Amino acid sequence: MTKRTAFVTGGGSGIGRASAQAFARSGMNVVIADISEEAAKSVAAELSALGAQALGLRCDITDEDQVRDAIRQTAAHFGSLDVLVNSAGLDLNRELVDISVEDWRRIMDINVTGSFLCMKHARPLMVEKRYGRIVCLGSSSGIYGMGWPAYSAAKAAVVGLALSAARELAPFGVTVNVVAPGPTETPLSLGLWANNPGRRERLESTVPVGRVAKADEIAGAVAYLASENAGFVTGSTLVIDGGLTSLMRVPAAPPASNA
Ligand SMILES: NC(=O)c1ccc[n+]([C@@H]2O[C@H](COP(=O)([O-])OP(=O)(O)OC[C@H]3O[C@@H](n4cnc5c(N)ncnc54)[C@H](O)[C@@H]3O)[C@@H](O)[C@H]2O)c1
């Protein structure tokens, strides 16, 4: 079987790193593209120690020239780009009243524009090979608005982007899907919870399974959607939220007169 190459944005930490590790364990070549060069190189070294061919690149996904260049380097180094995982993302704990236009744009830039730019520049390589798997990290916030407004809006936009791209790319053997995690323990969420005392505990008491997710549990879903076996899955959003969605399906209590 062809040795596939995965390009993971935000692969220097959290869910991106766990996804990169899953790809390395399955024998794929892996490119870690992260705004932190140190994190990208350190994860690439970890993957090399697992026996994978890995490359760590500094890339700010909000900058089109950097994205174009990182994808060019991937093609030059490995000869292909078969899997794109858009995991780089950012949340800021700001309510509507507090969010500045600069912060709003930053959230949109990293979560939405960055995903779009990586898809745009990976597309020609995938279309040429008539094969590709694109997995975007959405969030339960973008499905039922449980997070802060800018982040929820950005993650809902990621779903729309993936749906349209799935339709555009289906004739070329390229699938596009979204994994939408609920609260997951990573450096991103640990930082947000540290700034909001009691938030983690409130989440854990709300999630039906009684805990937050581990990054590896999300990476397992990313790895499935990125696999050869998932060729018939496209335009889907896989919500992994410990049962939070099921709470939205509980019917309201009947009026007392019918009880
Ligand atoms: N942790 C959660 O609870 C949770 C829940 C739902 C969705 N998500 C989503 O999963 C994805 C991964 O989140 P995580 O929790 O692993 O976060 P994380 O902070 O642990 O990792 C994000 C990585 O993205 C990199 N990054 C940030 N801006 C970048 C940029 N402009 N260009 C390139 N790299 C950049 C960071 O350096 C970091 O290495 C994000 O899209 C996030 O929104 C996370």
Side-chain angles (χ1 to χ4, degrees):
M1 195 189 288
T2 325
K3 189 158 183 175
R4 302 290 186 193
T5 298
F7 183 96
V8 184
T9 76
S13 175
I15 293 166
R17 174 170 170 246
S19 303
Q21 289 168 336
F23 294 142
R25 281 193 295 269
S26 72
M28 291 167 74
N29 303 320
V30 188
V31 178
I32 308 295
D34 202 289
I35 197 165
S36 162
E37 182 167 18
E38 191 187 347
K41 297 234 183 282
S42 145
V43 173
E46 272 174 37
L47 304 186
S48 301
L50 292 174
Q53 299 288 318
L55 185 64
L57 298 176
R58 185 193 182 275
C59 174
D60 176 351
I61 56 158
T62 66
D63 179 327
E64 185 161 20
D65 289 340
Q66 293 188 35
V67 170
R68 190 186 288 109
D69 188 53
I71 288 179
R72 207 179 276 144
Q73 287 189 59
T74 300
H77 196 84
F78 290 121
S80 68
L81 193 168
D82 308 290
V83 171
L84 165 66
V85 177
N86 285 316
S87 188
L90 180 71
D91 191 4
L92 295 172
N93 49 329
R94 305 264 199 285
E95 312 242 314
L96 270 185
V97 68
D98 299 322
I99 190 150
S100 65
V101 171
E102 290 72 30
D103 283 344
W104 172 274
R105 291 199 172 120
R106 195 163 154 234
I107 295 276
M108 290 296 160
D109 253 14
I110 297 177
N111 291 288
V112 188
T113 311
S115 298
F116 147 66
L117 288 174
C118 292
M119 288 162 77
K120 174 180 171 183
H121 289 284
R123 185 192 191 281
L125 294 170
M126 292 179 170
V127 166
E128 188 190 344
K129 276 184 73 177
R130 295 291 193 271
Y131 181 88
R133 300 279 183 266
I134 299 175
V135 184
C136 299
L137 269 295
S139 168
S140 52
S141 304
I143 311 293
Y144 42 75
M146 72 173 285
W148 287 283
Y151 183 71
S152 295
K155 291 304 191 184
V158 166
V159 173
L161 170 66
L163 279 170
S164 283
R167 216 171 40 206
E168 178 179 322
L169 294 174
F172 305 104
V174 179
T175 63
V176 188
N177 293 289
V178 177
V179 169
T184 306
E185 187 173 315
T186 67
L188 171 69
S189 50
L190 287 171
L192 292 168
W193 296 336
N195 290 331
N196 288 271
R199 186 168 171 92
R200 179 180 185 144
E201 292 69 23
R202 284 196 299 280
L203 285 168
E204 284 177 336
S205 65
T206 309
V207 175
V209 303
R211 63 175 176 83
V212 299
K214 301 181 185 76
D216 281 341
E217 292 174 299
I218 309 303
V222 172
Y224 165 65
L225 291 170
S227 71
E228 316 259 338
N229 287 339
F232 202 63
V233 187
T234 197
S236 291
T237 295
L238 179 49
V239 180
I240 305 179
D241 65 357
L244 275 170
T245 318
S246 68
L247 298 178
M248 323 277 160
R249 299 199 179 118
V250 175
S257 59
N258 293 344

